[in-house]
Amino acid sequence: MRVIYLCLVVIFSFPLLATAKGIETAKQVEQNLWVMGMPTNADIERFAEQGGDIVVSLLSVSEQSQTAESTWVTHHGMAFYHIAIPGAEGLTFAKVRLLDKVLLEHKEKNVLVHCASGNRVGALFALRAAWLDGKDKEVALKIGRERGLTSLEKTVSEMIAQ
């Protein structure tokens, strides 16, 4: 019986992401900043219990409508922001500025930024590093990769070079 119990703990301790590969659990990348792919209700609850204050979703409008995430976040006493990034076409200066504004307004708070896999998170952070923080392309891309940038890297690299 003890072995079965331990197996169940392992199985249910991690979110199950059947389709999206990426950052499956919250990854701390700065003092007050965590990034990840699509969180479950348990992930949101864990983040709140560990002092989380803000959750920023970069899911598209369609993706966001398929989850109760905003309810989970507010139920746990945190603030919820939705900056819709439907894919490469959503990577705009305006969206980068909007994320930057949220992060600057809450720089003393614990913030979790996510999308479905972490790819859009990494893309926005790479563009933020280049466009707003003046980092060179390679440094910006490294920041993006650390935050989940994968298949959007070529697009982001081209956007930074323009």
Side-chain angles (χ1 to χ4, degrees):
M1 190 63 136
R2 190 182 242 319
V3 173
I4 292 171
Y5 174 75
L6 290 175
C7 289
L8 289 175
V9 170
V10 172
I11 290 170
F12 293 112
S13 293
F14 302 99
L16 300 175
L17 297 175
T19 57
K21 289 187 177 182
I23 303 173
E24 295 182 8
T25 58
K27 173 184 174 185
Q28 188 172 5
V29 293
E30 293 178 25
Q31 182 176 344
N32 298 332
L33 179 65
W34 287 258
V35 297
M36 74 178 300
M38 184 62 202
T40 64
N41 187 18
D43 295 323
I44 296 295
E45 182 175 11
R46 212 171 9 259
F47 184 64
E49 288 171 353
Q50 295 172 355
D53 300 300
I54 312 284
V55 174
V56 179
S57 170
L58 303 182
L59 296 176
S60 69
V61 172
S62 172
E63 290 170 315
Q64 195 65 54
S65 70
Q66 297 174 29
T67 178
E69 178 189 11
S70 62
T71 302
W72 303 337
V73 170
T74 55
H75 173 78
H76 292 291
M78 297 182 291
F80 179 76
Y81 291 86
H82 181 217
I83 303 171
I85 309 292
E89 66 275 5
L91 299 174
T92 65
F93 184 78
K95 298 289 176 96
V96 171
R97 275 293 293 132
L98 188 54
L99 176 64
D100 187 62
K101 182 177 189 238
V102 170
L103 295 175
L104 290 174
E105 285 178 2
H106 302 290
K107 64 183 175 188
E108 300 300 319
K109 297 192 176 182
N110 293 319
V111 179
L112 170 66
V113 181
H114 80 85
C115 60
S117 67
N119 190 29
R120 288 171 278 181
V121 173
L124 235 55
F125 276 97
L127 293 171
R128 178 180 182 238
W131 291 347
L132 302 181
D133 297 338
K135 305 286 185 196
D136 71 47
K137 182 174 152 182
E138 289 311 311
V139 171
L141 289 172
K142 181 177 186 262
I143 289 168
R145 282 185 221 105
E146 290 169 351
R147 286 155 178 76
L149 179 63
T150 55
S151 64
L152 288 170
E153 184 168 344
K154 182 177 184 226
T155 300
V156 170
S157 179
E158 291 168 358
M159 293 174 75
I160 290 171
Q162 291 178 356

